[in-house]
Amino acid sequence: FPIGLGVPAGVLAEQVTLADRIRHIILPALTLSIIGIAPIALHTRQKLIDVLESDYVRFARARGEKGFGLVRRHGLRNIALPAVTLQFTSFSELFGGAVLAEQ
């Protein structure tokens, strides 16, 4: 993969296509996204475990709900907000990491 968003050698900036720009952004985007996935995944997993052990999920199971419908209706609704909040708090790390990855 080419490094950064630079123009390929021997090509004028006006001749760079959108496909070239996308090819140049793949490596930095992968580098920056892999770093931030682990803390969010661990936190989301722990929150889902806590939610699935709560009283209202136990009551839903007693009413006969089960499987993915139970997780979707009661679990995902309650863990979405903390996961999104964590994603937005990691923006400062993302911008700092972008500078470091480009250097």
Side-chain angles (χ1 to χ4, degrees), residues 38-60:
I40 295 170
L42 289 174
H43 185 270
T44 304
R45 177 185 176 272
Q46 186 59 43
K47 288 297 277 186
L48 183 61
I49 290 170
D50 292 343
V51 166
L52 291 179
E53 291 175 353
S54 65
D55 291 336
Y56 58 89
V57 173
R58 192 172 301 133
F59 180 71

Side-chain angles (χ1 to χ4, degrees), residues 7-87:
V7 177
V11 177
L12 296 175
E14 296 84 25
Q15 296 174 341
V16 176
T17 64
L18 181 63
D20 288 334
R21 292 186 188 275
I22 291 173
R23 204 174 106 235
H24 279 239
I25 203 167
I26 289 174
L27 191 60
L30 267 170
T31 303
L32 295 173
S33 64
I34 288 174
I35 293 171
I37 289 174
I40 295 170
L42 289 174
H43 185 270
T44 304
R45 177 185 176 272
Q46 186 59 43
K47 288 297 277 186
L48 183 61
I49 290 170
D50 292 343
V51 166
L52 291 179
E53 291 175 353
S54 65
D55 291 336
Y56 58 89
V57 173
R58 192 172 301 133
F59 180 71
R61 282 190 181 138
R63 285 189 326 203
E65 291 185 44
K66 58 183 173 184
F68 183 70
L70 178 75
V71 173
R72 186 188 68 213
R73 185 169 182 181
H74 298 287
L76 294 180
R77 281 185 182 178
N78 292 308
I79 65 168
L81 185 62
V84 170
T85 303
L86 277 174
Q87 184 62 39

Side-chain angles (χ1 to χ4, degrees), residues 32 88 90-102:
L32 295 173
F88 280 117
S90 67
F91 274 151
S92 62
E93 296 173 10
L94 180 68
F95 291 126
V99 171
L100 183 64
E102 289 299 321

